[in-house]
Amino acid sequence: MSYRTEHQESVDNAAKFWADKASKLAWFKQPTQVLTEHQGQYQWFADGELNTSYLALDYHVEQGRGEQAALFYDSPVTGSKRCYSYRELRDEVAKFAGVLKAQGVGKGDRVVIYMPMVPEAAIAMLATARLGAIHSVVFGGFAPHELAVRIDDASPKVVVSASCGIEVNRIISYKPLLDSALEKASHQPERCIILQRPQHSASMVAGRDLDWHREMQQAAPAGPVAVKGTDPLYILYTSGTTGKPKGVVRDNGGHAVALHYSMQAIYNIKPGEVFWAASDVGWVVGHSYIVYAPLLAGCTTILYEGKPVFTPDAGAFWRVCAEYGVKAIFAAPTAFRAIRKEDPHAELMKQHDLSKLETIFMAGERLDPPTYHWACEVSGKPVIDHWWQTETGWAICANLAGIELLPAKAGSATRPVPGYNVQILNDEGQQVAANQQGNIAIQLPLPPGCLSTIWGNPDRFFAGYLSQFPGYYATGDGGYLDEDGYLFVMGRTDDVINVAGHRLSTGEMEEIIASHPAVAECCVIGLPDELKGQQPVGFVLLKNGVTTDAETVQQELVALVRQEIGAVACFKRALVVPRLPKTRSGKILRKLLRQIGEGENYQIPSTIDDPASLPELEALMKKHGLA
Ligand code: COA
Ligand code: AMP
């Protein structure tokens, strides 16, 4: 099968293409409706019935994979390792589903999971899915305020958390963060189930908090509950342009079909082989490729509680690949930049047998050509950049290792994955010629597995994605297709930035900075960062009459953003400026600031209010290493 035939078929005959892929899964009731329209929106497999946890676990045990490793937990930060066979993982998941069920969790109820990278995080996700309930995992690096916002939006019956996480060698107490979030939230869950880790013990709130281990001892296992193809599996919050994160809703049916297909088509992984996504369960990559896809495909997945460097060194990734016989690894370019910085000649790689490793996949941010070339050179393996978003849940563009590997082009995520009809549109919604930059849009219908709505806010789904270009999903990314149909993603067209593979909203940071009593106006932009791709930088105008010195305000702002969003925001630079560049109508010229920061030649817009102030601003940015 050639790439061209597979993609053409998926676009020309989407329903037939996906019906065939769906038939490879063990539905409780095979769908007869493949692609339907409901209230102006496309749906996949609406009348099919399934259970994602059953497909990921029980099915494989029934097929004779019970003793095969399902999940390896490798934790250099605690010095521990554990292997779960499919049978053991199914039993743990069934037991924890019993724990949740005993607390009244059933179909459609929400469970928020705020946990570090421990197997219990995956167990909690799969147990929630087993009951037909909806999980919402919140990344551990988020501060209480962010957790509270998500708890209020998802209104969970139960929150599952842990006593602590470990960042290299620092213990992060999760439980006080959860307690503080619940003090801020209006919605209160009925129960919190807390995993007490040996590294740190959390204090419990009587009447509300339950101990994970104690509950597991007395739990009766719960079986998988049949849900409709369109019933939600999870909500995953992601940054938008405003302070309120968007709850991306993923259904059960399309998700299972798409991820199952992707393991073979994109990653070339067959049942029984080992696949490792070095991400975090709090991100979409972790949802799809640490937990669901490898298990749906009967593979072995790895849950790694560590970093690419310092746990203990820049050989960590290679050690894990060699130790578990990983066939394909998937990580963010920033992780490889961190490894290259510590071990530029990949000396540590040479200590490990990487003969089983066939392919290196990267995503989460643009794979810059120097990192691409370095990874190719030191590993001697194909390095595949693939582009996707929380919203899509799986790759939009990739080089399909399981179908046909096309010649790679540095800086490109190669070609659209089957199911995605990717087009470049100008601002008026017309397709542009090859090599011309524009808005990257996907012609509807989106393939299975992509978001079905925004939780509790269908209007935001239409307004944010479907209304800009009727008939298309607007990705929010800009770029171009070259003469061979290769996609080059050049960056976001909105106020979202990407820091160390993490998606962050500058709009949200601006809202927080503006809440400081000394601040009159501000803007936050992403400037280039060698390691993390981008770093957020705040430009701040103080109110008249403020007597606090600029340095103190800057420090307070850095602390404020860390307190409100969390360490993950990486907001380390705020600069008090005498004037912000603006148009005469008062709009802050963010692009101009970005151009100055990136050292680009810029044209002074004719609409600018005070061009004479620019040299002073540029000099100030230079003085502070921001230009
Ligand atoms: N819980 C609590 N704090 C966390 C956390 C978690 N789960 N994850 C990160 N943090 C903290 C870090 O300790 C750090 O805190 P600090 O400011 O006190 O040092 C801060 O958040 C920023 O973290 P990060 O951006 O990860 O930077 P880092 O310097 O710790 O590590 C890299 C740099 C490159 C090693 C790291 O960013 C990395 O591995 N990135 C890959 C990202 C990824 O997998 N993305 C998913 C998309 S595929
Ligand atoms: P997230 O939703 O956190 O996965 O972030 C998605 C965004 O990250 C996309 O909209 C892109 O801006 C960026 N992104 C992810 N993968 C890539 C890639 N391979 N190339 C370029 N940008 C990427």
Side-chain angles (χ1 to χ4, degrees), residues 70-75 82 117 274-279 281 286 289-291 294-295 299-305 317 319-328:
L71 185 146
F72 286 118
Y73 166 58
D74 187 291
S75 171
R82 218 182 302 162
M117 282 289 285
V274 185
F275 181 79
W276 178 29
S279 178
V281 289
Y289 291 105
I290 296 175
V291 181
L295 297 179
C299 306
T300 302
T301 188
I302 298 176
L303 197 137
Y304 172 72
E305 189 182 22
F317 274 20
R319 192 264 304 161
V320 172
C321 286
E323 194 168 326
Y324 300 101
V326 171
K327 184 178 175 193

Side-chain angles (χ1 to χ4, degrees), residues 338-352:
I339 295 170
R340 182 181 56 180
K341 185 164 170 248
E342 297 302 314
D343 184 20
H345 305 294
E347 294 299 334
L348 294 165
M349 179 193 261
K350 295 173 193 146
Q351 299 172 6
H352 302 281

Side-chain angles (χ1 to χ4, degrees), residues 121 315 430 484:
Q430 287 143 350
D484 298 321

Side-chain angles (χ1 to χ4, degrees), residues 193-214:
I193 303 175
I194 309 297
L195 177 78
Q196 294 281 16
R197 303 188 73 187
Q199 294 75 21
H200 174 79
S201 179
S203 65
M204 306 287 265
V205 174
R208 187 196 71 187
D209 298 348
L210 300 174
D211 180 284
W212 172 292
H213 295 297
R214 191 164 320 132

Side-chain angles (χ1 to χ4, degrees), residues 369-423:
T371 306
Y372 168 76
H373 290 303
W374 179 82
C376 289
E377 211 170 282
V378 299
S379 71
K381 321 260 179 202
V383 174
I384 297 183
D385 179 15
H386 58 331
W387 166 63
W388 49 304
Q389 311 183 314
T390 303
E391 288 86 343
T392 64
W394 65 299
I396 310 164
C397 280
N399 204 349
L400 301 171
I403 306 254
E404 179 193 1
L405 265 187
L406 301 172
K409 296 190 190 189
S412 169
T414 317
R415 302 204 49 186
V417 166
Y420 291 97
N421 186 351
V422 177
Q423 307 284 342

Side-chain angles (χ1 to χ4, degrees), residues 59-387:
Y59 171 73
H60 300 303
V61 178
E62 290 166 13
Q63 297 297 305
R65 294 193 178 278
E67 308 323 313
Q68 181 197 306
L71 185 146
F72 286 118
Y73 166 58
D74 187 291
S75 171
V77 295
T78 58
S80 49
K81 295 176 187 176
R82 218 182 302 162
C83 171
Y84 291 81
S85 67
Y86 267 97
R87 188 185 307 286
E88 285 165 338
L89 192 59
R90 181 207 52 190
D91 291 349
E92 288 293 290
V93 167
K95 247 197 290 172
F96 193 65
V99 171
L100 291 173
K101 194 173 170 184
Q103 299 310 321
V105 174
K107 207 180 202 170
D109 289 331
R110 274 81 59 214
V111 174
V112 161
I113 300 170
Y114 182 62
M115 291 185 103
M117 282 289 285
V118 287
E120 288 80 359
I123 290 169
M125 292 164 76
L126 289 156
T128 306
R130 195 169 187 83
L131 298 173
I134 304 165
H135 60 68
S136 187
V137 183
V138 180
F139 177 62
F142 280 123
H145 164 77
E146 291 290 321
L147 178 56
V149 169
R150 286 156 175 78
I151 287 173
D152 275 341
D153 199 68
S155 57
K157 203 167 232 180
V158 169
V159 175
V160 185
S161 189
S163 56
C164 70
I166 297 125
E167 279 293 291
V168 187
N169 48 17
R170 203 159 37 104
I171 290 193
I172 313 273
S173 303
Y174 273 46
K175 183 59 183 5
L177 302 175
L178 170 61
D179 289 341
S180 160
L182 289 176
E183 273 167 31
K184 292 172 195 287
S186 319
H187 173 84
Q188 295 298 305
E190 286 165 30
R191 290 277 176 272
C192 295
I193 303 175
I194 309 297
L195 177 78
Q196 294 281 16
R197 303 188 73 187
Q199 294 75 21
H200 174 79
S201 179
S203 65
M204 306 287 265
V205 174
R208 187 196 71 187
D209 298 348
L210 300 174
D211 180 284
W212 172 292
H213 295 297
R214 191 164 320 132
E215 296 305 310
M216 285 291 266
Q217 274 165 14
Q218 54 208 34
V225 172
V227 296
K228 291 270 186 241
T230 44
D231 281 339
L233 169 68
Y234 70 74
I235 308 165
L236 179 57
Y237 289 89
T238 189
S239 301
T241 46
T242 67
K244 190 170 159 47
K246 298 186 275 196
V248 166
V249 178
R250 190 97 54 220
D251 66 10
N252 274 273
H255 173 257
V257 173
L259 292 193
H260 184 260
Y261 170 68
S262 73
M263 284 305 285
Q264 180 272 318
I266 300 178
Y267 301 103
N268 192 27
I269 299 287
K270 294 174 194 59
E273 294 180 332
V274 185
F275 181 79
W276 178 29
S279 178
D280 187 289
V281 289
W283 306 115
V284 67
V285 174
H287 279 61
S288 294
Y289 291 105
I290 296 175
V291 181
Y292 286 112
L295 297 179
L296 284 165
C299 306
T300 302
T301 188
I302 298 176
L303 197 137
Y304 172 72
E305 189 182 22
K307 299 265 176 186
V309 288
F310 309 130
T311 59
D313 57 32
F317 274 20
W318 316 126
R319 192 264 304 161
V320 172
C321 286
E323 194 168 326
Y324 300 101
V326 171
K327 184 178 175 193
I329 177 179
F330 173 177
T334 191
F336 287 92
R337 286 196 296 271
I339 295 170
R340 182 181 56 180
K341 185 164 170 248
E342 297 302 314
D343 184 20
H345 305 294
E347 294 299 334
L348 294 165
M349 179 193 261
K350 295 173 193 146
Q351 299 172 6
H352 302 281
D353 172 8
L354 296 178
S355 54
K356 290 210 172 124
L357 182 65
E358 284 187 6
T359 326
I360 298 176
F361 289 88
M362 299 207 206
E365 57 177 321
R366 179 167 179 264
L367 173 55
D368 53 293
T371 306
Y372 168 76
H373 290 303
W374 179 82
C376 289
E377 211 170 282
V378 299
S379 71
K381 321 260 179 202
V383 174
I384 297 183
D385 179 15
H386 58 331
W387 166 63

